[in-house]
Amino acid sequence: MRIGFGYDSHRLVEGRKLILGGVEIPYEKGLLGHSDGDALTHAIIDAMLGAIGLGDIGKHFPDTDPAFKDADSIELLKQTVERVRGEGYEVEWVDSTVVIEEPKLAPYIEKMREKLAVLDIRPGDISVKAKRNEGMGFIGRGEGVAAFAVCQLRKIEPAL
Ligand code: MG
């Protein structure tokens, strides 16, 4: 069994879509980033890469590479899960938290779990939680969001 941890943050700005966990959420601002800025999916990718000891998202999908401009982060997650399988592991469980002052994410959580359940991962194996930051700091002021994730992998048993 392997455990990995991931963290990400992105700035909230006007003129961008708000995409978290692969779901577009109607809001006056969105997340700035070279890709679609999906901080939640990025934290989950980092947790998976951490669990197999293969660095972080910046190493695999550099933000200097035009190929990843406006990239769909769910596609990057798929590639990461394939990478995990290539190392002989599969995803057993993901737990994650997005910290965002507004909007309320509760209505979108189930949709996010479905979107994040790529390849052979089931929505029931992905936990997504959302919290406000009680008005404190950059999150409280609505300047940005942060996301945290842990991931548990199990070794793929060779077929007999
Ligand atoms: Mg990011």
Side-chain angles (χ1 to χ4, degrees):
M1 185 185 79
R2 294 287 195 92
I3 304 279
F5 170 77
Y7 166 82
D8 196 25
S9 60
H10 278 258
R11 199 179 283 271
L12 266 175
V13 297
E14 284 171 11
R16 291 274 300 184
K17 289 177 181 172
L18 177 57
I19 297 173
L20 285 167
V23 177
E24 189 177 332
I25 297 154
Y27 189 54
E28 66 211 31
K29 293 181 184 174
L31 294 170
L32 187 63
H34 183 67
S35 67
D36 59 9
D38 186 341
L40 172 60
T41 304
H42 295 176
I44 292 171
I45 288 171
D46 260 7
M48 290 178 179
L49 290 172
I52 50 172
L54 281 184
D56 63 17
I57 189 169
K59 182 176 167 188
H60 294 265
F61 311 107
D63 63 8
T64 49
D65 187 337
F68 303 120
K69 174 109 177 70
D70 298 320
D72 176 355
S73 295
I74 294 293
E75 276 307 312
L76 307 185
L77 178 65
K78 269 185 202 160
Q79 290 178 35
T80 305
V81 172
E82 277 168 2
R83 195 67 208 263
V84 164
R85 290 194 71 86
E87 294 293 314
Y89 287 89
E90 59 192 357
V91 176
E92 181 154 30
W93 182 251
V94 171
D95 186 22
S96 63
T97 298
V98 191
V99 193
I100 185 169
E101 204 64 17
E102 54 180 31
K104 283 204 183 322
L105 297 187
Y108 306 100
I109 297 283
E110 287 311 311
K111 190 95 201 290
M112 288 181 197
R113 296 176 76 187
E114 285 167 24
K115 286 287 269 190
L116 290 164
V118 297
L119 304 181
D120 55 354
I121 307 174
R122 296 168 303 176
D125 293 335
I126 301 251
S127 159
V128 177
K129 309 184 299 300
K131 293 187 87 71
R132 294 178 57 241
N133 215 39
E134 306 296 336
M136 295 182 288
F138 74 90
I139 297 171
R141 291 190 297 272
E143 294 168 10
V145 310
F148 304 83
V150 289
C151 171
Q152 181 180 327
L153 306 179
R154 68 178 155 240
K155 194 128 187 102
I156 298 168
E157 298 298 335
L160 294 173

